[in-house]
């Protein structure tokens, strides 16, 4: 029944995708983050649904006359250079075949990112994409929060098998990144019932992150909680929300959880921590010895035998920074850090410009909450190898588009802002605009 339910929704939406390609972007976000097909037990489990939906969406984009816009900002240029550099390092990889297979996966992720960037032409579409991400990852926050409460935090919260967020650490990172986006939606919604539901959703997602028993998630929660308060417009309510989430979550956790978290201070006695440090030194030595790095999938005995301080302790990088450093060298790391830094600065530009426009308060809130999400990614990512996670690249695309909505128009091309940008965003409004587009056919170019 589960397979039939998922198949009915996915394949039932394909005709709509052919008419409205952006629906395909939302569907791809749902498939990429929620991974409903990975929760099935029959024919949908191995069905290449993402590829099918991506191809249909691409065909619809090429056939549609609706507005498409590529924003060649500095962030996009750096992202393109990073992808190209990864292609170059793949040709020099120590293990070429597995490296080339991984590079193909990265290319697919970036193609989907650029497809989203092309079609994010209105504020409503940005809002709906945020909703799609929140709903997809928030599903595991809701489910995991209830699971943690029912079982008293004894068992770890895990993600869907065979996905980026399969492990407890990876899922925890995704959930911590999503809490700020939930806050953005709460700030923009007019419905009291939806705002209240989002409050409970954030609380349960935070509890689920604690319930993952991920030490990296705890570090991210600490940094994110502080930045969450700093970036929020309603600081008192934010402080109350953060405090309540922390008190409730900590009151649920069993003694074993506190014992595991205490190992952060005694990492020198923890085998897992020592293994990660050994992998980080390996990445450092590889980058110094090999200009192009060792390529994707380098975390194998042969590389460790040549470059590791402890050749017998073979582990993955467990760090977004050292993973990129080992696989793509110092240039790869520089491009990766530049992309994250420029995205952060672009968020600051959006916030600064939006303060001058009361109709763009929503953009200011979203940019601020994306900065909080980036803090979560960069702090927890220090202990996780999710360098190529599509989530962060979606955030880059959203920030780039946000800037086009708030930046002053050139004098020669100045035109009145579209009415849609001056209306406070809500879920109902965004869906209404999308349905309106279905009835009227192709849209005119956005801002």
């Amino acid at each position: 029944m589960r397979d039939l339910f998922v198949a009915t929704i996915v394949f039932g939406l394909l005709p709509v995708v052919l008419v409205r390609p952006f629906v395909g972007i939302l569907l791809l976000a749902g498939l990429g983050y929620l991974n409903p097909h990975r929760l099935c037990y029959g024919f949908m489990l191995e069905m290449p649904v993402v590829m099918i939906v991506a191809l249909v969406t691409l065909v619809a984009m090429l056939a549609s006359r609706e507005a498409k816009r590529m924003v060649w900002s500095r962030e996009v240029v750096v992202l393109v250079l990073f992808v190209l550099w990864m292609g170059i390092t793949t040709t020099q990889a120590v293990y070429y075949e597995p490296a080339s297979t991984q590079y193909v996966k990265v290319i697919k992720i970036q193609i989907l990112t650029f497809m989203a960037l092309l079609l994010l032409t209105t504020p409503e579409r940005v809002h709906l994409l945020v909703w799609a991400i929140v709903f997809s990852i928030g599903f595991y926050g809701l489910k995991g929060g209830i699971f943690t409460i029912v079982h008293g935090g004894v068992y770890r919260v895990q993600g869907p098998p065979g996905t980026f967020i399969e492990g407890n650490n990876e899922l925890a990172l995704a959930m911590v990144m999503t809490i700020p986006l939930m806050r953005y939606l709460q700030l923009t919604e007019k419905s009291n019932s939806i705002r209240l539901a989002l409050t409970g959703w954030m609380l349960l997602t935070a509890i689920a992150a604690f319930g993952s028993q991920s030490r990296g998630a705890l570090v991210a929660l600490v940094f994110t909680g502080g930045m969450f308060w700093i970036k929020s417009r309603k600081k008192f309510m934010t402080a109350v929300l953060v405090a309540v989430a922390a008190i409730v979550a900590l009151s649920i956790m069993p003694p074993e959880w506190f014992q595991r978290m205490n190992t952060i201070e005694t990492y020198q006695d923890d085998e897992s921590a020592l293994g990660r440090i050994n992998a980080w030194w390996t990445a450092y030595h590889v980058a110094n010895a090999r200009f192009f790095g060792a390529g994707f999938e380098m975390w194998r005995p042969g590389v460790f035998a040549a470059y590791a301080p402890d050749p017998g302790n073979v582990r993955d990088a467990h760090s977004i920074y050292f993973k990129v450093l080992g696989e793509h060298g110092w240039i790869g790391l520089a491009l990766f850090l530049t992309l994250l830094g420029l995205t952060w600065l672009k968020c600051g530009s959006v916030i600064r410009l939006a303060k001058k426009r009361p109709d763009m308060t929503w953009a200011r809130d979203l940019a601020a909450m994306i900065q909080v999400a980036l803090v979560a990614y960069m702090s927890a990512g220090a202990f996780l190898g999710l360098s190529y996670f599509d989530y962060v690249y979606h955030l880059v695309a959203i920030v780039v588009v946000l800037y086009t909505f708030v930046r002053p128009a050139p004098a020669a091309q100045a035109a009145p802002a579209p009415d849609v940008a001056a209306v406070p965003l809500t879920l109902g409004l965004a869906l209404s605009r999308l349905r309106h587009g279905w009835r009227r056919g192709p849209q005119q170019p956005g801002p």
Side-chain angles (χ1 to χ4, degrees):
M1 285 297 294
R2 187 179 298 185
D3 291 77
L4 291 175
F5 177 73
V6 174
T8 299
I9 293 177
V10 173
F11 295 116
L13 284 173
L14 291 183
V16 180
V17 174
L18 286 172
V19 178
R20 304 300 299 173
F22 185 71
V23 176
I25 300 299
L26 300 178
L27 184 56
L28 286 168
L31 292 172
Y33 299 123
L34 179 59
N35 293 281
H37 52 296
R38 302 303 304 174
L39 301 176
C40 295
Y41 300 103
F43 67 95
M44 287 298 291
L45 181 62
E46 300 300 333
M47 178 75 70
V49 288
V50 175
M51 184 183 70
I52 293 171
V53 175
L55 289 175
V56 173
T57 304
L58 183 59
V59 170
M61 286 177 59
L62 294 175
S64 174
R65 292 181 296 167
E66 74 171 73
K68 306 174 191 68
R69 177 184 56 182
M70 174 55 67
V71 183
W72 287 108
S73 69
R74 58 189 183 183
E75 296 80 15
V76 175
V77 172
V78 172
L79 177 56
V80 171
L81 291 175
F82 183 44
V83 174
L84 292 175
W85 179 255
M86 288 188 285
I88 294 172
T89 62
T90 299
T91 65
Q92 306 299 313
V94 174
Y95 304 103
Y96 176 74
E97 290 189 7
S100 59
T101 300
Q102 179 62 27
Y103 183 59
V104 170
K105 293 179 182 179
V106 170
I107 287 292
K108 290 178 180 178
I109 289 172
Q110 297 305 331
I111 288 175
L112 297 182
T113 301
F114 277 87
M115 287 170 60
L117 183 60
L118 281 168
L119 292 178
L120 285 174
T121 54
T122 67
E124 286 78 18
R125 291 188 172 189
V126 170
H127 195 66
L128 284 172
L129 180 58
V130 173
W131 261 113
I133 295 172
V134 165
F135 178 82
S136 300
I137 295 177
F139 168 81
Y140 296 104
L142 178 65
K143 176 172 171 286
I146 295 173
F147 177 83
T148 300
I149 293 172
V150 170
H151 294 281
V154 174
Y155 303 107
R156 295 183 183 181
V157 175
Q158 303 281 356
T163 68
F164 265 120
I165 56 175
E166 176 179 4
N168 63 312
N169 297 301
E170 291 77 12
L171 177 60
L173 169 61
M175 291 190 296
V176 177
M177 289 177 65
T178 304
I179 293 174
L181 298 188
M182 292 178 176
R183 177 60 173 162
Y184 156 72
L185 294 175
Q186 186 188 51
L187 289 170
T188 56
E189 281 299 328
K190 297 299 182 181
S191 169
N192 289 330
S193 58
I194 294 180
R195 289 205 304 270
L196 182 61
L198 284 165
T199 300
W201 208 352
M202 284 187 282
L203 178 61
L204 286 171
T205 302
I207 292 173
F210 277 94
S212 70
Q213 300 187 18
S214 168
R215 289 167 293 188
L218 179 61
V219 173
L221 283 167
V222 171
F223 281 99
T224 303
M227 186 58 63
F228 197 61
W229 180 81
I230 291 172
K231 290 294 180 178
S232 177
R233 285 190 291 115
K234 301 179 180 180
K235 287 185 167 44
F236 176 76
M237 291 304 300
T238 301
V240 171
L241 182 64
V242 172
V244 169
I247 292 171
V248 172
L250 291 174
S251 67
I252 294 172
M253 294 299 108
E256 293 79 9
W257 183 89
F258 291 93
Q259 293 173 7
R260 177 173 173 78
M261 296 304 113
N262 284 335
T263 60
I264 294 175
E265 298 180 358
T266 58
Y267 68 90
Q268 65 275 11
D269 299 323
D270 184 83
E271 183 180 349
S272 175
L274 292 176
R276 294 184 182 192
I277 294 173
N278 185 60
W280 298 348
W281 276 112
T282 303
Y284 175 77
H285 293 316
V286 166
N288 286 338
R290 297 174 60 91
F291 180 74
F292 297 102
F296 293 109
E297 304 297 322
M298 60 160 275
W299 313 98
R300 301 183 181 214
V303 172
F304 276 74
Y307 298 102
D310 182 1
N313 196 347
V314 179
R315 293 178 182 266
D316 192 70
H318 289 291
S319 169
I320 57 176
Y321 310 111
F322 286 100
K323 189 177 185 69
V324 173
L325 176 62
E327 294 181 347
H328 310 297
W330 289 106
I331 291 180
L333 179 62
L335 290 170
F336 181 66
L337 293 177
T338 299
L339 177 62
L340 294 177
L342 290 178
T343 304
W344 175 276
L345 293 175
K346 183 59 66 73
C347 285
S349 298
V350 172
I351 294 170
R352 185 177 62 257
L353 292 171
K355 285 182 179 179
K356 305 174 183 178
R357 298 180 55 180
D359 59 308
M360 284 293 172
T361 300
W362 68 272
R364 173 187 171 186
D365 289 336
L366 181 52
M369 291 301 102
I370 288 178
Q371 281 189 325
V372 180
L374 288 174
V375 168
Y377 177 71
M378 290 186 287
S379 57
F383 309 99
L384 291 172
L386 290 178
S387 309
Y388 318 113
F389 190 19
D390 40 357
Y391 197 161
V392 69
Y393 300 104
H394 262 140
L395 294 183
V396 172
I398 290 172
V399 171
V400 167
V401 171
L402 275 182
Y403 183 74
T404 66
F405 295 147
V406 301
R407 69 182 177 187
Q413 301 177 0
D419 292 340
V420 68
V423 182
L425 291 177
T426 65
L427 178 59
L429 173 63
L431 290 172
S432 175
R433 293 283 184 175
L434 199 56
R435 289 195 298 269
H436 183 66
W438 293 345
R439 292 194 297 268
R440 293 187 59 185
Q443 299 179 353
Q444 296 301 314

